[in-house]
Amino acid sequence: AFRFGKQSLTYRALEKQMNQLAGTLHDLKIKKGDRVGIYLNRSLETAIAIFGILQAGAVYVPIDPKAPVERSQFLIEDCDIEILITQPTQKRKISQIIANKNNIRAVIGLSEIEKVQTVSWETILAASEKFTLPFRILEKDLAYIMYTSGSTGKPKGIMHTHSSGLAYARLTAELYDITEKDKIGNHAPIHFDISTMGYFTSPYVGACTVIVSDAQTIFPASLGKLMGEEAL
């Protein structure tokens, strides 16, 4: 389903791990429609986070880890985010965010941080993979919110429903004739809307998404090498 460097994630593993994350979110009292922030660099965890949040009936909100803490704080307050999903490399910035006045009450992806509850990735991957959603998800329910750059003022959150995301997956799969035999190189971070081709269209048809690392997006030579190795 997804590949990142030498790491890979099958569809079976994705199903297991997204259920483990969804169960963890429900243990943290996430309700239908609640916003969950994703504060991750490009990695396999981005796929687990996206599908785990959707599986839980919540709404994922991508937050750029490279953005100033003030912008992240604005998104968190604007969406009333109470839970962040992150990774240990972001602990310093997460600490700065939590030090500000907001409603963050739990952080997934860290083993310990002051003032809030934490759940490590190791704990999640050891949890039960059996998860049954206690309510129905409808096509008009909110699925994800992506923010504009804010270059013409304050960033604005564009709200997408499950129907919207599925319509995009269907359209692009048909338009570009994407099948399960294809690979999609995903160079965009998840706070860019074009990333949904790798995260929605590819799984829709059973293709493989190759997540391009931060370093490979900076150096054209390494990006070209990856394209050659993966036949992208």
Side-chain angles (χ1 to χ4, degrees), residues 1-20:
F2 291 89
R3 187 149 59 242
F4 178 74
K6 295 181 179 180
Q7 300 175 304
S8 61
L9 191 67
T10 65
Y11 279 104
R12 175 67 188 94
L14 175 61
E15 180 184 27
K16 174 185 176 183
Q17 293 177 31
M18 75 181 193
N19 280 331
Q20 290 172 317

Side-chain angles (χ1 to χ4, degrees), residues 42-112:
R42 294 173 174 89
S43 60
L44 291 182
E45 285 77 12
T46 55
I48 300 167
I50 287 173
F51 284 98
I53 293 169
L54 296 178
Q55 181 78 337
V59 180
Y60 83 83
V61 183
I63 303 174
D64 182 7
K66 296 180 180 178
V69 171
E70 293 75 16
R71 177 185 168 91
S72 301
Q73 180 72 17
F74 169 78
L75 266 63
I76 289 168
E77 293 178 359
D78 196 47
C79 280
D80 194 21
I81 292 171
E82 296 184 355
I83 295 178
L84 290 175
I85 299 179
T86 189
Q87 54 205 163
T89 55
Q90 300 300 337
K91 184 175 181 178
R92 181 179 62 82
K93 282 194 172 181
I94 293 294
S95 296
Q96 293 176 342
I97 290 171
I98 292 173
N100 294 321
K101 186 178 179 180
N102 54 54
N103 294 325
I104 298 297
R105 59 181 175 84
V107 176
I108 292 174
L110 297 179
S111 57
E112 184 179 356

Side-chain angles (χ1 to χ4, degrees), residues 31 48 52 70 83 104 132 140 166 183-184 193 205 210 218 224 232:
K31 303 182 298 298
I48 300 167
E70 293 75 16
I83 295 178
I104 298 297
T132 302
K140 296 303 180 182
L166 182 57
K183 295 178 184 176
I184 294 180
D193 57 359
V205 299
V210 178
I218 297 173
L232 297 174

Side-chain angles (χ1 to χ4, degrees), residues 4 42 66 212-223 226:
F4 178 74
R42 294 173 174 89
K66 296 180 180 178
V212 180
S213 71
D214 290 337
Q216 288 165 328
T217 62
I218 297 173
F219 299 104
S222 63
L223 179 58
L226 174 69

